[in-house]
Amino acid sequence: GFGQAPALPVEAELIKNITLRGLTVGSINTLRELSRAVERHALNPVISKVYGLGEAAEAMALMESQQHIGKIAIQIADEALS
């Protein structure tokens, strides 16, 4: 993880009527294990669409629409995704 989450006054959420969502992605060791398993078993995840970094808002809109099947990727390097 990323350590302890910062404190957020409950009043701020109630006053602004906001929704908070969190995502637990696991540790760096879990990511390494997952990467090895994907490589070892030649797994190919379904990728719905790849966006450039400047298209992050469009990627988020697609995710929120729930009209995709598979992963939505944001490519941040110039190298082509395989």
Side-chain angles (χ1 to χ4, degrees), residues 44-56:
N44 293 306
V46 175
I47 298 177
S48 180
K49 185 156 182 170
V50 178
Y51 290 92
L53 187 56
E55 301 171 304

Side-chain angles (χ1 to χ4, degrees), residues 7-81:
L8 178 68
V10 174
E11 299 83 25
E13 183 177 358
L14 296 175
I15 291 171
K16 295 182 181 184
N17 195 26
I18 62 174
T19 301
L20 299 175
R21 294 185 186 181
L23 174 66
T24 302
V25 294
S27 68
I28 190 68
N29 287 333
T30 302
L31 177 61
R32 288 180 181 136
E33 290 174 19
L34 175 63
S35 296
R36 284 192 295 270
V38 167
E39 185 175 325
R40 181 174 45 249
H41 299 288
L43 300 176
N44 293 306
V46 175
I47 298 177
S48 180
K49 185 156 182 170
V50 178
Y51 290 92
L53 187 56
E55 301 171 304
E58 290 90 345
M60 189 66 156
L62 177 60
M63 183 176 68
E64 289 175 344
S65 76
Q66 298 182 4
Q67 297 300 308
H68 63 286
I69 296 175
K71 303 296 182 186
I72 300 169
I74 298 178
Q75 185 173 348
I76 56 174
D78 290 335
E79 300 173 13
L81 294 175

